[in-house]
C-alpha cells in the first residue's frame, strides 16, 4: 500500500509491504527500511527500525497528522491526489492577501477601487497580542474586501482581493 | 490572614497563585471572559465570576468589572498575576479606594517605578548607574539629535510607559532617527495609550540580568539573587536561568545591594524585580523595575527554596518578612523554558488551536507550571504563553541534559509550539558553555533550524497509523457493525461555536 504525505509543501511517498511480522517500507522510492511493529498505545506507535525502538507520539485531525519524534515535531498531511487546502490557498494568494493565522482583523487601511502598489499594507491582523501586517503582493486595484475591522478571521481566509492588469 | 482572594488573571499564573492561596487556607475567586469559560484556571477556584467578553479590554483589563466581582464575592484582596492590570496604578488605586488590598506595591510606588524616565532619574540620584540618555520624554526631534550625538550612536528609542519590547527601536545613525521616532511613537500610542518616548545609548552585546527583591511594610528588605534572561526573541524572554553564568560573587553582591536600594527608595512593598543590563566589560546599568510577580519567578524559588507568591500574600496581609539576607543562598541551578503557542520556525507567528494530545514531563527536579489541558481550544485573544517548564539540578552541567530531556518528553500535538526550538537552543554549543547575550537568537538562526533527521521515522509512523486504521475499519465492518461509527461524527452536548 502506498501513502503520500505533504511536509512543508513537499510530497513524500511511503510504500508499505507486509512481510510476516514486519513491514518492508520504502520512503521516497529510495530508502528501504525493515520495520517491526511492536505495538500501539493511544497516541503512541512503537516500532523497531534497525533494532532501535522508536516510540512516536501522534495525533490526527482530518487529513493532518501531528507527530513528535525524538523531540522534533512534524505535521504531515495526507495527499489525496488533488491539491491540498494549504496549497490552493497559497495559489490564490497571487493577487490577494490571506490571514496567516486565526485572529482579529484590526485594520483595513484601503478602500474598494483604491489603487495600490506592491508592499502597501492591505490589512492588519492580530492574534495573541501580535500584529501582522499583510501587504499587497503586487500592484493592483482593490476589488473585494471580505472582512470588516473588528471581525474574527480564520487561518488562510482571504481578506483583501486585488485586480491586476 | 485573608479569608478570600480574587485572582484577576488567567492561565498558568492564576493556577500558581491559587496553589499558594490553598496552602495558606485562603478561598480563591477566579474571573473569566466568555471564551475562557472552559479554561483550566477555573478548576482551581472556589468561586468564579464572569467579567466580560473575550477581548482583553472587556474582561481582564476591565477594572470596574473586576472590582465589582471582588465586592460581590467579598474578596479581601486581589492578586493581579502578571500582564493585564498587574502594574496598572489606576487599578491599584481602584482597589485601595474600594477597601480591597492589592497584592503588590502601592499605587504610589507603582506610579513611580512605572514611569521609566522618573525611575531613571530617581535611581541616578542613588548612585546606581543608568544608561546615558535623555532625562525626560520629548517630541522635539532636535533634542533627540543632540542627545544621540552626546551619547554616541547606536542609540535606542524607547516608550516611557513601555515594556515587553514594545515601542523599542535601535537607531544606528542620524538618518534613521526621524523615522524611528515616528514609528516608536505610533507603537507606544497603540500599546500603552501614551506616545511619549525617549532616547538612550544602545548597549552592545548586553546581558539582561535581573534581581528578585522582597520588601515588607516595615521596611525589611532582602534580595533573592539574579536571573539571567538574555535569551530573548522580539525583546521577550523565552529561556531564563539562575545563577547567571557571567556573574561572580563580588558583582552579584554589588548588584543585589543596588537592587535593594532601588526598591527601598521607591518605598516599594511586595515582590519586585530590578532589571539591569550588563555590558561586555561587566559594567551594569539599571534598566527598570518590574512591579509584579514575574513569569520567570520559579527559577528563583527552585534555587532559594522561597515561595515568592506566598511571600507576596504574607506581605500584603501585613506580616513581617521572616527571611534575613544571610539565610538566603543559591542552591544548585535552575533553568526555565517558556512554552508558547507559536511557530518558532516561521517568525514566531502565533498559533492558536486545539490541543489534540498532551503529555507533560515529570521526574526529579522537574516542575511544570501549566495552564492547558488536552482537548482545549487555545483562544487567539491572549498572550501565547501556555506553560513553563522549570528544571532544577545540583549544578548547571547536570541541569542542561535534564531540561533537554524534559523538553524532548514535553509532547503537545495539534498546533505549532516552540518546544523543539527551545530544545535546540539549550543544545547549542554557545548555550552549553554559557556564552550568550541578548543577540543570541539573531546570531544563531542557522543553528536553530529544525532538523529533518527524524522525518523518515515520522513518515513511517504516519503510514503505519493509516495502515492500522484501515485494517481495523475493515475488520470492524466485516465482523459486526459499529453503531457509533454509523451515526458519524458525534459529541455529547456539542455546541456550534
Amino acid at each position: 500500500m502506498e501513502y503520500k504525505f505533504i511536509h512543508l509543501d513537499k510530497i513524500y511517498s511511503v510504500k508499505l509491504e507486509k512481510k510476516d511480522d514486519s513491514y518492508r517500507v520504502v520512503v521516497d522510492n529510495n530508502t528501504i527500511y525493515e520495520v517491526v511493529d511492536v505495538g500501539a498505545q493511544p497516541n503512541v506507535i512503537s516500532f523497531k527500525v534497525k533494532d532501535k525502538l522508536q516510540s512516536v507520539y501522534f495525533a490526527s485531525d482530518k487529513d493532518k497528522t501531528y507527530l513528535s519524534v525524538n523531540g522534533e515535531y512534524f505535521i504531515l498531511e495526507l495527499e489525496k491526489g488533488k491539491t491540498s487546502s494549504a496549497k490552493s490557498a497559497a495559489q490564490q494568494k497571487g493577487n490577494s492577501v490571506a490571514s496567516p493565522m486565526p485572529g482579529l482583523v484590526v485594520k483595513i487601511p484601503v478602500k474598494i477601487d483604491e489603487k495600490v502598489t506592491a508592499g502597501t499594507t492591505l490589512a492588519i491582523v492580530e492574534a495573541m497580542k501580535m500584529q501582522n501586517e499583510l501587504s499587497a503582493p503586487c500592484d493592483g486595484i482593490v476589488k473585494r474586501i471580505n472582512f470588516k475591522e473588528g471581525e474574527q478571521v480564520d487561518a488562510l481566509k482571504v481578506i483583501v482581493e486585488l485586480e491586476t492588469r | 490572614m485573608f479569608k478570600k482572594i480574587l485572582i484577576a488573571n488567567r492561565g498558568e499564573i492564576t493556577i500558581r497563585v491559587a496553589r499558594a492561596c490553598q496552602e495558606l487556607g485562603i478561598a480563591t475567586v477566579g474571573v473569566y471572559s466568555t471564551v475562557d469559560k472552559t479554561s483550566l484556571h477555573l478548576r482551581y477556584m472556589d468561586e468564579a465570576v464572569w467579567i466580560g467578553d473575550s477581548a482583553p479590554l472587556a474582561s481582564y483589563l476591565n477594572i470596574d468589572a473586576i472590582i465589582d466581582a471582588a465586592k460581590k464575592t467579598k474578596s479581601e484582596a486581589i492578586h493581579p498575576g502578571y500582564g493585564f492590570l498587574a502594574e496598572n496604578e489606576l487599578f491599584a488605586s481602584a482597589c485601595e479606594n474600594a477597601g480591597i488590598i492589592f497584592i503588590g506595591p502601592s499605587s504610589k510606588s507603582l506610579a513611580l517605578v512605572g514611569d521609566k524616565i522618573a525611575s531613571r532619574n530617581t535611581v541616578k540620584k542613588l548612585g546606581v548607574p543608568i544608561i546615558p540618555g535623555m532625562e525626560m520624554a520629548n517630541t522635539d526631534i532636535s533634542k533627540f539629535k543632540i542627545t544621540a550625538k552626546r551619547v554616541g550612536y547606536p542609540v535606542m528609542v524607547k516608550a516611557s510607559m513601555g515594556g515587553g519590547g514594545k515601542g523599542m527601536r535601535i537607531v544606528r545613525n542620524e538618518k534613521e532617527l526621524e523615522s524611528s521616532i515616528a514609528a516608536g511613537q505610533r507603537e507606544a500610542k497603540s500599546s500603552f495609550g501614551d506616545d511619549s518616548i525617549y532616547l538612550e545609548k544602545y548597549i552592545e552585546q548586553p546581558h539582561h540580568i535581573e534581581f528578585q527583591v522582597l520588601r515588607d511594610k516595615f521596611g525589611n528588605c532582602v534580595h533573592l539573587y539574579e536571573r539571567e534572561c538574555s535569551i530573548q526573541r522580539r525583546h521577550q524572554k523565552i529561556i531564563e536561568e539562575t545563577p547567571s553564568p557571567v556573574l561572580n560573587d563580588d558583582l552579584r553582591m554589588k548588584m543585589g545591594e543596588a537592587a535593594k536600594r532601588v526598591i527601598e527608595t521607591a518605598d516599594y512593598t511586595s515582590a519586585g524585580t530590578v532589571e539591569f543590563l550588563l555590558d561586555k566589560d561587566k559594567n551594569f546599568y539599571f534598566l527598570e523595575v518590574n512591579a509584579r510577580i514575574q513569569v520567570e519567578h520559579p527559577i528563583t524559588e527552585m534555587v532559594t527554596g522561597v515561595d515568592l507568591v506566598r511571600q507576596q500574600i504574607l506581605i500584603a496581609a501585613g506580616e513581617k518578612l521572616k527571611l534575613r539576607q544571610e539565610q538566603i543562598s543559591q542552591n544548585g541551578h535552575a533553568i526555565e523554558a517558556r512554552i508558547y503557542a507559536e511557530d518558532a520556525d516561521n517568525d514566531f507567528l502565533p498559533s492558536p488551536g486545539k490541543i489534540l494530545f498532551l503529555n507533560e514531563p515529570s521526574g526529579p527536579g522537574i516542575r511544570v507550571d501549566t495552564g492547558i489541558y488536552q482537548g482545549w481550544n487555545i483562544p487567539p485573544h491572549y498572550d501565547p504563553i501556555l506553560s513553563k517548564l522549570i528544571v532544577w539540578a545540583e549544578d548547571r552541567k547536570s541541569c542542561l541534559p535534564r531540561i533537554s530531556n524534559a523538553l524532548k518528553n514535553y509532547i503537545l500535538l495539534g498546533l505549532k509550539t516552540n518546544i523543539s526550538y527551545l530544545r535546540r537552543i539549550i543544545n547549542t554549543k554557545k548555550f552549553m558553555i554559557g556564552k550568550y547575550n541578548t543577540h543570541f537568537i539573531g546570531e544563531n538562526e542557522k543553528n536553530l533550524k529544525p532538523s529533518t533527521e527524524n522525518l523518515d521515522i515520522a513518515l513511517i509512523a504516519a503510514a503505519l497509523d493509516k495502515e492500522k486504521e484501515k485494517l481495523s475499519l475493515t475488520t470492524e465492518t466485516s465482523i459486526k457493525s459499529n453503531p457509533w461509527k454509523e451515526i458519524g461524527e458525534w459529541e455529547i452536548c456539542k455546541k456550534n461555536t
Side-chain angles (χ1 to χ4, degrees), chain B residues 63-246:
Chain B
I63 295 180
D64 291 344
I66 292 169
I67 298 283
D68 273 355
K71 282 184 183 159
K72 216 161 50 192
T73 53
K74 299 195 170 62
S75 302
E76 301 154 84
I78 295 181
H79 196 299
Y82 55 66
F84 295 125
L85 296 169
E87 289 168 277
N88 185 312
E89 57 179 284
L90 293 177
F91 182 57
S93 68
C95 291
E96 287 157 15
N97 294 337
I100 298 162
I101 289 174
F102 176 77
I103 302 178
S106 68
S107 60
K108 215 177 122 213
S109 303
L110 264 181
L112 179 63
V113 301
D115 185 334
K116 289 199 171 184
I117 299 162
S119 56
R120 262 168 68 87
N121 294 335
T122 314
V123 164
K124 195 178 171 187
K125 281 183 212 139
L126 287 176
V128 175
I130 60 165
I131 299 167
M134 285 163 80
E135 278 175 19
M136 54 170 73
N138 219 306
T139 47
D140 181 356
I141 182 131
S142 68
K143 291 271 176 11
F144 280 85
K145 280 185 183 164
I146 293 166
T147 313
K149 219 170 237 167
R150 175 168 61 82
V151 302
Y153 286 95
V155 294
M156 183 91 114
V157 171
K158 281 182 160 184
S160 13
M161 305 311 283
K166 289 268 168 67
M168 271 162 52
R169 285 275 185 298
I170 300 165
V171 189
R172 300 249 164 225
N173 52 53
E174 198 173 305
K175 261 187 270 165
E176 291 172 21
L177 190 60
E178 206 159 325
S179 64
S180 299
I181 290 170
Q185 279 173 329
R186 260 201 319 275
E187 215 171 299
K189 178 85 188 166
S190 73
S191 301
F192 312 108
D194 180 336
D195 68 354
S196 41
I197 57 166
Y198 68 105
L199 178 147
E200 62 186 29
K201 172 137 188 78
Y202 176 64
I203 306 290
E204 307 249 21
Q205 299 172 33
H207 277 260
H208 182 123
I209 294 176
E210 58 187 30
F211 274 73
Q212 177 68 56
V213 181
L214 284 172
R215 187 170 180 269
D216 69 15
K217 292 176 179 171
F218 308 94
N220 301 304
C221 185
V222 294
H223 76 79
L224 296 100
Y225 302 97
E226 80 278 13
R227 292 187 286 259
E228 164 73 64
C229 307
S230 298
I231 303 288
Q232 305 184 349
R233 60 116 180 82
R234 244 187 268 121
H235 300 293
Q236 286 177 330
K237 305 157 190 168
I238 50 174
I239 292 177
E240 304 93 351
E241 64 176 316
T242 186
S244 163
V246 294

